[in-house]
Amino acid sequence: MDKIFLSALSVECIVGIWEWERRVKQTVVIDIEMAADIRKAATSDRIEDTIDYKKVAKRLIAFVGESQFQLVERLTEEIAKVVITEFGVQWVRVHLNKRGAIRGARDVGIEIERRATDYA
């Protein structure tokens, strides 16, 4: 299986359960791996024959930036759903990091894997 990935996509958003978190945008950092068969694009050299990671990044920046979920679990699930349903990806791994969420810990986050059949 070939994979296309985006690494360390930083987005400001409202996410959290505490009142102050509902007023202040926080940075989440997203890493995504997407299953892709890149053989056609490798032969044709055409962006139309692969997953356009720039389009994926722009869509996620807009989606996450406008979102206001309470839990990072929900935000991570919705990111996976967007990637699969809007970009025709058969499998995705999403790692979401909410830096600084816990005092004394650099990173806190979620990592999930989903398949297209999860959203059928």
Side-chain angles (χ1 to χ4, degrees):
M1 169 175 44
D2 304 328
K3 294 179 186 175
I4 294 175
F5 66 90
L6 294 172
S7 182
L9 183 66
S10 295
V11 185
E12 298 280 320
C13 68
I14 299 292
V15 62
I17 60 172
W18 307 110
E19 184 180 331
W20 72 267
E21 291 178 301
R22 309 305 299 157
R23 295 189 313 257
V24 178
K25 287 195 171 193
Q26 300 176 71
T27 301
V28 294
V29 181
I30 306 162
D31 298 316
I32 298 177
E33 293 180 26
M34 301 167 281
D37 184 345
I38 67 161
R39 289 176 287 194
K40 185 175 181 182
T43 301
S44 72
D45 204 24
R46 293 170 35 93
I47 190 70
E48 297 82 11
D49 294 332
T50 191
I51 299 167
D52 186 338
Y53 50 80
K54 183 175 182 179
K55 286 183 181 178
V56 174
K58 288 177 95 173
R59 175 64 177 114
L60 292 180
I61 290 167
F63 175 77
V64 173
E66 295 170 5
S67 70
Q68 294 195 15
F69 298 111
Q70 292 190 28
L71 299 178
V72 292
E73 290 85 346
R74 173 78 187 277
L75 177 56
T76 307
E77 183 71 35
E78 294 300 323
I79 290 168
K81 187 175 182 180
V82 165
V83 171
I84 286 176
T85 61
E86 295 184 21
F87 294 94
V89 173
Q90 294 301 305
W91 171 89
V92 67
R93 175 181 292 137
V94 180
H95 179 101
L96 186 136
N97 182 336
K98 185 178 172 187
R99 291 208 166 136
I102 301 293
R103 187 182 312 226
R106 185 189 74 188
D107 300 322
V108 174
I110 304 292
E111 183 173 273
I112 64 171
E113 293 183 27
R114 296 293 182 266
R115 299 193 178 286
T117 55
D118 294 325
Y119 304 112

